[in-house]
Amino acid sequence: MTEERRHGGQSLEECGRISLPTPIVHLGDPITASCIISPNCSHLDPESQILWKLGTEIQPGKRQRLVDGRQEFTITVAHLNSPRVLLSCCLRWGTSLQILDQAEVQAGYPPAAPHNLSCLMNLTTNSLICQWEPGPHNHLSTNFTLKSFKSRGNCQTQEDSILDCVPNDGQNHCSIPRRHLQLYQNMGIWVQAENALGTSKSPQLCLVPMDVVKLEPPTLWALAPSPEVAPPQPGCLLLRWEPWKPSLYIEQKCELRHQPQPGEASWALVGPLLSQTLQYELCGLLPSTAYALQLRCTRWPLPGHWSDWSPSLTLTTAQRAPIVRLDTWWRQRQLDPRTVDVQLFWKPVPLDKYSGQIQGYLVRAPDQAETVPPLCNTTELSCTFHLPLEAREVVLVAYNTAGTSHPTPVVFLESRGPPLARLHTVARDPYSLWVGWEPPSPRPRGYVIEWGLGPPSPSGSNKSWKMEHNGSISGMLLQENIRPFQLYEITVTPLHQDTVGPSQHIYAYSQEMAPSHAPELNLKHIGKTWAQLEWVPQAPELGKSPLTHYTVFWTNAQDQSFSTVLNASSHGLVLHGLEPASLYHVHLMATSKAGAANSTSLTLMTLALEESELHVLLGLFAFLLLFTCLCGAARFCCRPSRKNPLWPSVPDPAHSSLGSWVPTIMVEETFQLPSLRDPGMPPITKITVLEEEEKKLGPWESNDSSGSCGLPTLVQAYVLQGDPRAPSTQPQPPSITSDQVLYGKVLGSPTSPGPGHYLRCDSTQPLLGGISPSPKFYENLWFQTSPLGTPEPLVPNQEDDCVFGPLLDFPLLQGLQVHGVEGLGGV
């Protein structure tokens, strides 16, 4: 059978409509749809184009003309994979599509059978409440119905039907009212699921309503002690409960569960507990421990469901008497000849994991009656009391509401044992100290270690202590009440069998601070080249490391820095080697193992020199300068290379090789020469005439036929070139000697025959003033004894020496003219 659907929005006078076999199909099945076009539609012509639109996808249809003149356009979708899709029949109208008709197609699955059906009889609402699980989603709207009937057998036959129970949308439970029930008669119950593609139902459940009853939880509380009820023993709790009132006439059994608090452990279950008793003593619990308790009940011995757990009830078990060991220590101080003041300390050490909580301590004398007030009744861990001088023992006990601990005797032993050796400490970290020692011989049975703040704290205030029962150890780590930057006094006392050893003390820091500031520098005295400084060492500060040394720094005006290191016991310093009238900046640095700190800077100026001291210094300086100059000048002038430019160097003829041919007596005569300012005449500074007694050939004389002569190099004369007063500006040419010598021989005249004289000319200047400083050899040199005389050639030797003579008559010498050397120009 074909179902035709028409939709609104047909603007083309109902020209077309969609026909579907069914609007709901199985998901994934094919579906065929047709669009019928009416022949009476004035807007369509026979060739109009009809298209299908499946969701947003456009698909063409198959055209077919029917016998009545209508046109049918058909589309087939092979697999419909969407749970919901909108199918449209459209007419192409120009560039747009005009919808003729629309239809919605749904796809899904038949409903799955509901499962896990269960029912509970609720006496509070007087209804049978059933619930189930619907199964997987089928993409279609599904209706559930709870169906039931009454039966006297095992639900195989149906006697009376019960009105169906339809849950609200989205709910998976439903309640059958009490008026439709027989509480003690069987019922058959199932759930039916139905949608457009089919129907399913759950397995049938057969039950008696009262067999599935669920009671409400009971009320639980603690049973208070009374004259009729003894208090619970340690580790026990007395409990009482009351069932839910509507279930008072129903036989029940209950279960109890407990958990120590805080709830880290699992619950422990106790039961069954019969409802007739309504009270219970729970034992086997930990003493002095809080517990959370809960109770639930069910119908018994008939079938039923457990109620929910009751709200938690928290109770604390009774405590035991303290089971502890009390470690004790004491200090004694004699007040008068008959009384001592005793300060007793103790620490409880539990001997059992579940020892009772301690509420206080009692100190009594031995064999003291209970009616006599104790020496101490305190909740603290120390007590001070007075005893007679001869008393040597007291008894200490811990107590609580359950009783007292075993008595601990405290015997005041005398200090007669051997002492410790080499007590020392090491700081492990800012919050712990290691104290070590060498055990005495014989080894003690234990030690008492005390520690507290050292001076300036009051002695004995807020001290911690610990007893070590192992006498073979040689050290202990102290971690209780240790703080950085605090000085601690540590005391160790050995405990022997019947005596104690003397206490040994040591002071230590767990961590020390650097000094906060250095001492202030003060100037005590100052001079021109020194300054005396002093400072006041600071008193030791609590928590600060002792100083190891001082360092003094000073800087001058040229930013040159100096320093010196002094030991920690120093309190002054004298700075030497300072400059007079100079500014200095000085500061002091104090150093310890933990760090260093600087003082404020001190600025000082040394004294200036006095006027008399300045005069002495200036005079000394001038004398040193003059002496240095004279020494330098003497050194400069006495050097052979520097002597000739300053004054003529006249060789001593007596020590010359001329002595072999010159007379022993030299007659020096001075005669007039032409003017020394004559530019055509070379200036001559001095002429000396040597008389010759007899002619002797010396080793320096030559028999050369050319008539040239030679002289020893030691017989020298110097000829100045130019003005003798003018300073020389030309360097001396190097030679075998540093002087240039010119020797001339004056021939005798006809009126004065006789042996000739030799002429010696001395000069401090080179013979020639050429541009070259090199030595020159004179090729042609002439001299004449008068202006009318004939010049005679003179040939110098290779040492630039020239010999004139012997002269026949020295007084007739009218002048001496030296003609230039060939190639170098005349002089």
Side-chain angles (χ1 to χ4, degrees), residues 99-174:
I99 298 176
L100 301 179
D101 195 9
Q102 288 183 322
E104 185 182 46
V105 181
Q106 298 184 32
Y109 301 103
H115 58 284
N116 288 343
L117 176 63
S118 63
C119 298
L120 294 174
M121 183 63 196
N122 192 323
L123 296 182
T124 303
T125 60
N126 252 344
S127 61
L128 183 67
I129 302 173
C130 298
Q131 60 182 10
W132 61 89
E133 294 183 14
H137 183 50
N138 54 40
H139 304 292
L140 298 175
S141 175
T142 303
N143 298 320
F144 294 92
T145 304
L146 181 64
K147 294 181 174 292
S148 60
F149 63 89
K150 299 176 183 177
S151 175
R152 292 190 180 275
N154 54 1
C155 300
Q156 297 295 327
T157 60
Q158 178 178 345
E159 291 188 355
D160 297 324
S161 63
I162 300 175
L163 188 63
D164 292 344
C165 181
V166 179
N168 297 327
D169 291 341
Q171 293 185 350
N172 299 319
H173 59 85
C174 197

Side-chain angles (χ1 to χ4, degrees), residues 607-774:
L607 301 179
L609 295 176
E610 297 179 359
E611 186 175 359
S612 59
E613 295 174 327
L614 285 175
H615 291 167
V616 171
L617 289 177
L618 288 176
L620 180 61
F621 176 75
F623 174 76
L624 292 176
L625 182 60
L626 179 60
F627 180 77
T628 303
C629 293
L630 291 177
C631 291
R635 178 178 176 84
F636 178 79
C637 296
C638 291
R639 292 176 59 184
S641 61
R642 300 298 181 186
K643 178 172 59 176
N644 294 335
L646 298 178
W647 58 78
S649 177
V650 181
D652 187 1
H655 297 84
S656 174
S657 60
L658 274 169
S660 60
W661 59 274
V662 298
T664 58
I665 301 175
M666 294 184 294
V667 179
E668 181 171 321
E669 297 182 18
T670 303
F671 57 91
Q672 298 293 328
L673 292 175
S675 175
L676 293 176
R677 299 187 183 273
D678 184 0
M681 178 66 87
I684 298 175
T685 57
K686 184 172 62 175
I687 296 176
T688 304
V689 178
L690 306 177
E691 292 185 359
E692 183 180 23
E693 296 180 355
E694 60 182 13
K695 175 68 174 177
K696 293 181 180 180
L697 293 175
W700 49 272
E701 294 182 298
S702 175
N703 296 325
D704 192 346
S705 60
S706 62
S708 63
C709 61
L711 287 175
T713 58
L714 295 177
V715 181
Q716 302 175 2
Y718 297 86
V719 178
L720 288 174
Q721 302 288 337
D723 190 352
R725 293 181 299 275
S728 174
T729 60
Q730 296 183 1
Q732 279 284 37
S735 62
I736 298 176
T737 63
S738 62
D739 303 320
Q740 299 209 5
V741 183
L742 183 63
Y743 293 93
K745 180 178 182 182
V746 182
L747 302 179
S749 65
T751 59
S752 186
H757 292 78
Y758 287 88
L759 177 73
R760 183 178 69 189
C761 300
D762 299 334
S763 175
T764 60
Q765 293 295 331
L767 182 62
L768 298 177
I771 60 175
S772 173
S774 303

Side-chain angles (χ1 to χ4, degrees), residues 35-37 63-73:
C35 182
I36 307 298
I37 306 300
R63 182 192 297 266
Q64 182 180 1
R65 293 184 181 274
L66 301 179
V67 294
D68 56 0
R70 295 181 300 170
Q71 297 184 61
E72 182 181 30
F73 292 87

Side-chain angles (χ1 to χ4, degrees), residues 503-519:
S503 301
Q504 301 292 326
H505 306 267
I506 194 171
Y507 295 90
Y509 288 93
S510 64
Q511 184 179 357
E512 297 174 306
M513 288 189 296
S516 57
H517 57 277

Side-chain angles (χ1 to χ4, degrees), residues 809-821:
D809 190 1
F810 184 80
L812 297 179
L813 181 64
Q814 299 296 319
L816 178 65
Q817 181 178 9
V818 180
H819 297 273
V821 180

